[in-house]
């Protein structure tokens, strides 16, 4: 029966890959499909199995789960060259990605999208978003402008050429006349696509049909979000967001699943907060504590290697994520990183222009002015990475988890105490 969603409850890099992998390990042979429903290779999900580290960007993390079929849903924007590099890299390490299915309606990222992503960022100057430069925004813009190229188009020569030409028409005026770059010819894009077309063809399916049939048959389908709630184009810190809907509601348009089918919606949340790229971040630390979180938590981007901005846990954001996703539970990661502090501040509300806000403020301007209201919780000053049950955790770590759970608006399903699959505690 179950359709399970695993998604980011903060600004990304919460440990979604680990949570997905853990669900797969817990239900060995029981997660039948693992589906990406939005985003593209802007994601970077790290999974550590038996001390060996894997990173996925475009493939869902379930590619590492034995018996699980990975699916790239229609809501994804796909750079197929990156996809095959990723598959080759994993297969060279003994991971079988041969079951991969790709939606016929997923949109392609081509080299004109990455070129435009980089050049528009440069032109934004101090208003830069700090994108990953993977062509995500321009590919979604084409989709909405109805000049995108979809996977199915690759196999219809006439339509493909017409669509690529249409997509390049305005872009070349922009590239040459505004951005002072060289024009991109339809031929070079068609050659780029021809290089992978044959390899792609056998993977292409009507993924909505496949997944709905699987659910009808009682199979388990896990939808793995990339990015996160606060990077959602509608519900995140716009304009400092990605160009898709990582929230649970995004599963509908991104995978062709009706909203009544979702059974569990798990928000992954770090025991503190990080963010990559520009945009407001009320609990951000610019001091030694921030540096210590970055070093101990190894907070450097999986995709771009950029140092992540670090700060304390923000329960206002957790409550917001619980609300806009309809979370049934949270998975709390990286509790082990907090082992060095005497006292740990947790943001319980904001003060904005002299007024207390217990919920996310309505406007971007207010959010930019938000000052965290902190509650200080006692630290546990010890290494908890060997703990495998809640009872083994030091009393102060237990109290920290329980207080976060009270503040965050949904029960905690599990806790991460290290990057490894086994470094986890199940609460229910
Ligand atoms: P994702 O994008 O949400 O999948 O997260 P990333 O993989 O980008 O970043 C999370 C990082 O934290 C990865 O390096 C994980 O291996 C690591 N990680 C996940 N859970 C834990 C945990 O509980 N403790 C520690 N120390 N590291 C963790
Ligand atoms: P995972 O799945 C963290 C951020 C970028 C930038 C903004 C827009 O690993 O959690 P984009 O390239 O999407 O147009 O960039 O979103 N961003 C992420 N931050 N984790 C991610 O993915 C991210 N994907 C995009 O840094 O601020
Ligand atoms: Mg990541």
């Amino acid at each position: 029966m179950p359709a399970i969603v695993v998604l980011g409850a903060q600004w990304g890099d919460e440990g979604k890959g680990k949570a997905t992998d853990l669900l797969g390990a817990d239900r060995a042979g029981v997660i039948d499909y693992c589906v990406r429903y939005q985003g593209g290779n802007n994601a970077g999900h790290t999974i550590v199995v038996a001390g060996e580290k894997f990173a996925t960007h475009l493939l869902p993390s379930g590619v590492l789960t034995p018996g699980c079929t990975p699916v790239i849903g229609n809501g994804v924007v796909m750079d197929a060259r990156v996809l095959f590099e990723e598959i080759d890299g994993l297969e060279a390490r003994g991971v079988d990605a041969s079951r991969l299915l790709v939606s016929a309606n997923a949109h392609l990222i081509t080299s004109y999208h990455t070129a435009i992503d980089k050049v528009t960022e440069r032109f934004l100057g101090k208003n830069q978003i700090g994108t990953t430069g993977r062509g995500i925004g321009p590919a979604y813009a084409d989709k909405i402008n109805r000049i995108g190229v979809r996977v199915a188009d690759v196999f219809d020569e006439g339509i493909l050429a017409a669509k690529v030409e249409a997509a390049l028409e305005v872009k070349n005026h922009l590239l040459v006349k505004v951005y002072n770059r060289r024009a991109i010819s339809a031929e070079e894009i068609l050659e780029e696509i021809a290089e992978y077309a044959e390899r792609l063809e056998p993977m292409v399916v009507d993924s909505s049909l496949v997944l709905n049939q699987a659910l009808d048959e009682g199979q388990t389908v896990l939808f793995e979000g990339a990015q996160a709630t606060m990077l959602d184009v509608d519900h995140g810190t716009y304009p400092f967001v990605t160009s898709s809907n990582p929230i649970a509601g995004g599963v509908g348009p991104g995978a062709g699943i009706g909203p009544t089918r979702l059974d569990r919606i798990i928000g992954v949340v770090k025991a503190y907060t990080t963010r990559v790229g520009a945009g407001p971040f009320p609990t951000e630390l610019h001091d030694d504590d921030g540096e210590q979180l970055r070093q101990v938590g190894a907070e450097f981007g999986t995709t771009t290697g950029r140092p992540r901005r670090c700060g304390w846990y923000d329960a206002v954001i957790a409550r917001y994520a619980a609300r806009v996703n309809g979370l049934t539970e949270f998975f709390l990661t990286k509790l082990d990183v907090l082992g060095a502090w005497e006292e740990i501040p947790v943001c319980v509300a904001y003060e904005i222009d002299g007024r207390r806000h217990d919920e996310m403020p309505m406007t971007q301007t207010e959010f930019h002015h938000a000052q965290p209201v902190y509650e200080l919780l006692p630290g546990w000053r010890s290494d908890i990475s060997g703990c495998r049950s809640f009872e083994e955790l030091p009393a102060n770590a237990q109290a920290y988890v329980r207080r976060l759970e009270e503040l965050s608006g949904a029960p905690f399903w599990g806790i991460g105490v290290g990057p490894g699959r086994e470094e986890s505690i199940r609460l229910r």
Side-chain angles (χ1 to χ4, degrees):
M1 192 256 284
I4 307 171
V5 188
V6 169
L7 55 80
Q10 294 160 321
W11 277 285
D13 306 322
E14 297 89 349
K16 298 176 287 293
K18 165 159 175 162
T20 298
D21 179 64
L22 186 63
L23 279 163
D26 270 4
R27 298 165 158 252
V30 181
I31 304 272
D32 299 289
Y33 293 88
C34 184
V35 187
R36 280 282 306 272
Y37 56 93
Q38 46 69 233
N41 59 310
N42 47 349
H45 301 169
T46 315
I47 304 108
V48 181
V49 186
E52 218 189 319
K53 190 165 157 179
F54 297 89
T56 59
H57 297 282
L58 197 44
L59 289 167
S61 303
V63 69
L64 297 174
T65 305
C68 172
T69 299
V71 180
I72 293 182
N74 60 279
V76 170
V77 287
M78 187 178 88
D79 190 328
R81 290 171 304 173
V82 173
L83 175 70
F84 290 117
E85 273 168 33
E86 195 173 319
I87 292 175
D88 292 343
L90 286 175
E91 290 196 332
R93 296 174 65 188
V95 177
D96 175 17
S98 63
R99 283 187 311 276
L100 176 68
L101 303 178
V102 175
S103 166
N105 289 345
H107 279 248
L108 293 184
I109 295 182
T110 68
S111 52
Y112 52 77
H113 296 114
T114 42
I116 287 174
D117 193 359
K118 287 174 188 149
V119 87
T120 44
E121 273 284 276
R122 231 168 290 148
F123 269 65
L124 277 172
K126 67 173 174 46
N127 297 319
Q128 266 187 18
I129 292 159
T131 74
T132 58
R134 302 296 194 263
I136 307 297
Y140 278 115
D142 278 5
K143 171 175 172 172
I144 301 304
N145 281 330
R146 293 155 296 181
I147 51 167
V149 180
R150 303 206 284 189
V151 165
D153 300 328
V154 169
F155 312 104
D156 187 326
E157 241 172 74
I159 284 179
L160 181 66
K163 288 196 174 179
V164 169
E165 276 160 28
L168 280 170
E169 181 67 38
V170 175
K171 282 185 196 70
N172 274 334
H173 285 294
L174 264 179
L175 280 170
V176 174
K177 293 175 194 161
V178 179
Y179 297 131
N180 203 18
R181 301 287 135 140
R182 72 173 183 88
I184 296 173
S185 72
E187 289 68 43
E188 60 188 288
I189 299 301
L190 293 172
E191 268 169 37
E192 175 184 309
I193 294 173
E195 274 169 33
Y196 58 71
E198 202 180 317
R199 194 168 171 198
L200 180 62
E201 193 161 19
M203 302 173 175
V204 179
V205 293
D206 177 344
S207 55
S208 165
L209 182 63
V210 170
L211 296 172
N212 278 284
Q213 282 175 341
L215 288 170
D216 289 343
E217 286 164 14
Q219 295 188 297
T220 300
V221 180
L222 192 155
F223 297 92
E224 186 187 38
Q227 292 80 55
T229 305
M230 299 308 285
L231 290 172
D232 184 280
V233 69
D234 286 282
H235 298 282
T237 48
Y238 190 90
F240 302 101
V241 293
T242 192
S243 302
S244 67
N245 289 115
I247 60 161
V251 172
I257 298 289
T260 51
R261 303 210 81 150
L262 303 181
D263 299 289
R264 292 176 70 188
I265 304 173
I266 304 172
V268 185
V269 74
K270 266 181 207 178
Y272 50 98
T273 312
T274 65
R275 169 161 210 176
V276 197
F281 178 179
T283 63
E284 181 171 17
L285 295 164
H286 299 281
D287 57 8
D288 292 347
D289 284 332
E291 191 50 37
Q292 199 173 343
L293 283 173
R294 186 172 307 114
Q295 294 306 331
V296 181
E299 296 295 355
F300 298 89
T302 310
T303 297
T304 58
R306 288 180 287 179
R308 295 173 182 152
R309 300 159 62 193
C310 296
W312 301 121
Y313 190 82
D314 186 334
V316 183
I317 282 173
R319 285 197 292 276
Y320 180 70
R323 165 157 61 92
V324 298
N325 291 295
L327 296 183
T328 58
E329 59 228 279
F330 277 107
F331 184 69
L332 180 74
T333 61
K334 304 193 100 160
L335 186 65
D336 54 300
V337 173
L338 297 178
W341 281 270
E342 195 90 48
E343 272 186 324
I344 308 169
V346 170
C347 169
V348 295
Y350 302 136
E351 196 181 292
I352 304 171
D353 305 326
R355 263 188 56 221
R356 182 182 164 111
H357 285 243
D358 289 284
E359 298 296 333
M360 272 289 283
M362 186 174 78
T363 67
Q364 190 201 345
T365 308
E366 287 173 299
F367 193 59
H368 275 274
H369 294 174
Q371 294 298 322
V373 176
Y374 283 121
E375 184 173 301
L376 288 179
L377 301 181
W380 45 93
R381 304 296 299 266
S382 61
D383 177 6
I384 57 165
S385 60
C387 298
R388 294 292 173 268
S389 71
F390 190 68
E391 293 65 38
E392 282 173 59
L393 289 174
N396 285 352
Q398 293 190 17
Y400 184 83
V401 172
R402 287 302 178 212
R403 182 64 184 137
L404 259 46
E405 189 174 34
E406 258 170 34
L407 290 167
S408 302
F412 284 6
W413 156 68
I415 304 170
V417 292
R421 183 184 276 176
E422 62 298 337
E423 289 169 310
S424 310
I425 293 172
R426 278 77 157 177
L427 295 179
R428 41 174 70 75

